[in-house]
Amino acid sequence: MTKNWFRIGLASIFLISLALRFWGLDRFNTLVFDEVYYAKFGNNYLTHVPFFDGHPPLGKYIIAMGIWLGSHVRFVHESVNGLTGSLRSPWDYRWINAFLGSFIPLLNAGIAYQLSSRRSFALIAGLFTAVDGIFIVESRYALINIYIVLFGLLGHWLFLLALNNQRQKRKLYLIIAGIAFGCSIATKWNGLFFLAGVYFLWIFAWIWDISGKKINQNPPENNQQSSSPLQNLTQLYVWQVVLFLGVLPLTIYSLSWIPHLQLDTKYGFIAVHKQILAFHERLGGNNAEVHPYCAAWYKWPLLTRPMAYYYQTAQKVTDPLPGLGPDLPANAGKIIYDVHAMGNPFLWWFGAAAILFLIGMLIVAIFMFWKQQKRFTLPKNITVDTWIALYIVVNYATNLAPWMRVSRCAFIYHYMTAVVFAFLAIAWFVDQCLRSYYRPLQAIGVTIFVMILVAFVYWLPIYLGLPITSESYKLRMWFSSWI
């Protein structure tokens, strides 16, 4: 694949992401799901109204910036129930999420390319991320989970770029990566898991280096890159990691609180953190599932309990629409508008299977070397694909494992930080199949690829909140736990 076709592919993925997020963005002229909090909180910063929030403030700052910019370029002059001030349209508080959320597929593609120098792997990873339902839904409304992932993936991409460069460029990329990781944490505390994944890989690399091992790289595609970015992990000095990936993210996180603390002068930095900690402790104090869509961590990869963010029905064409939207089809009977925060089922299921496959691949590699050496140690030769597996598995586990000890009510969207690495896993597997000379493997790769795309089209109406008949809705709710 030539560089020009690669660029065209990335541009196409970005345009698809934009179209999916912006089309009918103002369909529901009401606050959807947690917009009742985050859109209002963003508006509160503009109207100087103090408030308490159980999360750090950066996500709401971005929404506030979108509201301010959107209110000066008004596409639809409609008031919004539940909001005051200069708001005129749902576009005002949703457009910036839709725009920035469109970059997440490109970041996953960038990470795939930095790990492997394989353009096909990068494009598949970007496309799979673009056609996932929960990222489309979260990007179309004034919610903050996309910013955890956006900044977390940005930090990872810049970190891998830093490993591929030397001297001043490396320092520059590390500095920007530290800023990105700090922004992820300043959105929600679980953004820290993205940074933790980098630390775990760095520690592993030092253990490997102390053992006197050496990475053996496979030849990269088209000679675009002479070494894997992970090969350079041990070249990072301790002071660089501590300063750029420790002190700097903490500084960014602390600075992000300044506008919020100036708005609400009753509480200082320490006091507001005690408030937030007490808030989350109260949520999980009685271990009760206080919400009908509570879902424990082990239910997330299997997609057994997605969430309905919005649900509205209409009996006939003359019924008023729930906001701005397309005309109802004639003689449609009962019409359902449903916005379901649900991943692409086949993408999530295949992604979970790919993670297990990579774990098995790592175990087999270690076992085979142990069998040869008759002692437990790290292998001398670690291929690019083994490093890719290690990177994906470590970051997936780092973003999922902390939730295993959480007793409070958790939701499917908490899995977003981990599932992006499952997208990388299945993209790697499909790419390996398509690059194989063995026809049955090629057929498996094509089948998985097509199934994921067909599933995306099939469930698209409940991602975008399109009007569908009750029969069509039931056909898409495969399990009672999905409703």
Side-chain angles (χ1 to χ4, degrees), residues 204-214 375 377-380:
F204 175 86
W206 272 105
I207 295 174
W208 164 82
D209 187 63
I210 292 172
S211 300
K213 311 305 178 186
K214 184 179 181 181
R375 61 191 178 93
T377 184
L378 297 175
K380 294 181 180 179

Side-chain angles (χ1 to χ4, degrees), residues 244-302:
F244 300 142
L245 301 178
V247 176
L248 183 56
L250 178 62
T251 302
I252 295 300
Y253 174 82
S254 301
L255 291 175
S256 71
W257 279 95
I258 292 176
H260 183 87
L261 296 177
Q262 288 178 335
L263 179 65
D264 189 355
T265 58
K266 293 186 299 181
Y267 299 99
F269 183 80
I270 302 298
V272 76
H273 280 76
K274 289 181 178 179
Q275 269 193 315
I276 293 176
L277 185 59
F279 169 76
H280 289 290
E281 287 176 345
R282 286 195 302 270
L283 286 179
N286 57 6
N287 295 322
E289 293 195 354
V290 296
H291 194 284
Y293 284 109
C294 285
W297 66 270
Y298 53 85
K299 297 181 180 180
W300 302 340
L302 300 178

Side-chain angles (χ1 to χ4, degrees), residues 322-340:
L324 304 174
D327 292 335
L328 296 176
N331 302 320
K334 184 177 181 181
I335 296 299
I336 293 177
Y337 293 86
D338 177 50
V339 177
H340 236 64

Side-chain angles (χ1 to χ4, degrees), residues 464-479:
L464 301 183
L466 301 179
I468 57 176
T469 64
S470 58
E471 290 76 15
S472 296
Y473 175 75
K474 291 176 182 178
L475 288 174
R476 287 165 174 81
M477 296 293 107
W478 282 9
F479 309 99

Side-chain angles (χ1 to χ4, degrees), residues 6 35 69 102 106 128 154 189 193 263 373 388 392 438:
F6 181 55
E35 284 186 329
L69 292 171
S102 300
L106 294 186
F128 282 177
L154 178 61
W189 285 348
F193 302 157
L263 179 65
Q373 300 295 318
I388 292 172
I392 292 174
Y438 188 51

Side-chain angles (χ1 to χ4, degrees), residues 147-328:
Y147 296 120
I148 315 171
V149 180
L150 176 72
F151 291 121
L153 292 182
L154 178 61
H156 271 268
W157 177 62
L158 290 165
F159 177 74
L160 293 175
L161 278 174
L163 296 181
N164 277 337
N165 288 273
Q166 301 293 331
R167 299 176 182 173
Q168 295 304 316
K169 280 190 175 181
R170 171 170 290 182
K171 291 180 181 178
L172 177 62
Y173 286 131
L174 284 175
I175 289 172
I176 305 175
I179 294 172
F181 284 128
C183 290
S184 183
I185 303 168
T187 303
K188 277 188 177 181
W189 285 348
N190 56 314
L192 181 63
F193 302 157
F194 281 107
L195 183 57
V198 170
Y199 270 92
F200 285 137
L201 287 170
W202 180 68
I203 292 170
F204 175 86
W206 272 105
I207 295 174
W208 164 82
D209 187 63
I210 292 172
S211 300
K213 311 305 178 186
K214 184 179 181 181
I215 296 177
N216 177 38
Q217 298 296 333
N218 288 336
E221 178 183 317
N222 298 330
N223 295 319
Q224 292 295 317
Q225 185 174 302
S226 60
S227 64
S228 164
L230 295 179
Q231 183 181 8
N232 300 321
L233 272 170
T234 55
Q235 297 179 13
L236 296 179
Y237 297 109
V238 174
W239 71 266
Q240 290 178 319
V241 175
V242 172
L243 178 60
F244 300 142
L245 301 178
V247 176
L248 183 56
L250 178 62
T251 302
I252 295 300
Y253 174 82
S254 301
L255 291 175
S256 71
W257 279 95
I258 292 176
H260 183 87
L261 296 177
Q262 288 178 335
L263 179 65
D264 189 355
T265 58
K266 293 186 299 181
Y267 299 99
F269 183 80
I270 302 298
V272 76
H273 280 76
K274 289 181 178 179
Q275 269 193 315
I276 293 176
L277 185 59
F279 169 76
H280 289 290
E281 287 176 345
R282 286 195 302 270
L283 286 179
N286 57 6
N287 295 322
E289 293 195 354
V290 296
H291 194 284
Y293 284 109
C294 285
W297 66 270
Y298 53 85
K299 297 181 180 180
W300 302 340
L302 300 178
L303 198 63
T304 60
R305 192 57 173 155
M307 296 184 69
Y309 279 6
Y310 182 88
Y311 185 88
Q312 182 74 29
T313 61
Q315 290 294 336
K316 52 184 181 300
V317 176
T318 56
D319 285 351
L321 293 177
L324 304 174
D327 292 335
L328 296 176

Side-chain angles (χ1 to χ4, degrees), residues 416-472:
M416 291 173 63
T417 58
V419 77
V420 286
F421 296 102
F423 298 163
L424 287 173
I426 188 56
W428 172 87
F429 182 83
V430 169
D431 181 57
Q432 293 292 95
C433 290
L434 296 179
R435 290 159 54 89
S436 172
Y437 293 104
Y438 188 51
R439 288 190 177 275
L441 278 180
Q442 293 178 354
I444 291 173
V446 171
T447 301
I448 293 175
F449 188 87
V450 171
M451 288 179 70
I452 289 172
L453 294 185
V454 170
F456 160 71
V457 174
Y458 183 70
W459 275 283
L460 186 60
I462 65 171
Y463 301 149
L464 301 183
L466 301 179
I468 57 176
T469 64
S470 58
E471 290 76 15
S472 296

